[in-house]
Amino acid sequence: MLPCPSTNRSILTDDRYGFEPVLEGHRLLVCLKRGKVTLYTRYGHDCTSQYPELCNVPVDDDVILDGEV
């Protein structure tokens, strides 16, 4: 899901909400299926060739990992 702007500024001073700093990285989905790793951007573009060091996922089962690089 992509973030969207809000006009509700009252949440900035409400103690019920927490905030996380923006790290300015790239959000990726790492998909391991039948032993093959494919990396996707949040827009669904294949970017596997840009991050060859991430293609050695140390898991045995099929998995999808969501994170920031």
Side-chain angles (χ1 to χ4, degrees):
M1 175 189 335
L2 298 175
C4 60
S6 173
T7 57
N8 182 2
R9 301 291 181 212
S10 64
I11 64 168
L12 298 176
T13 57
D14 192 325
D15 290 337
R16 295 178 298 164
Y17 296 95
F19 298 94
E20 182 178 311
V22 175
L23 299 176
E24 298 302 331
H26 292 110
R27 183 175 179 186
L28 295 180
L29 291 173
V30 178
C31 301
L32 175 65
K33 185 174 181 181
R34 295 186 204 123
K36 181 183 178 200
V37 174
T38 309
L39 306 173
Y40 297 99
T41 66
R42 63 181 169 175
Y43 299 105
H45 301 289
D46 185 336
C47 62
T48 307
S49 64
Q50 295 174 0
Y51 299 96
E53 66 277 14
L54 298 179
C55 292
N56 296 320
V57 180
V59 294
D60 295 328
D61 296 325
D62 292 351
V63 67
I64 296 176
L65 303 172
D66 182 5
E68 191 162 333
V69 178

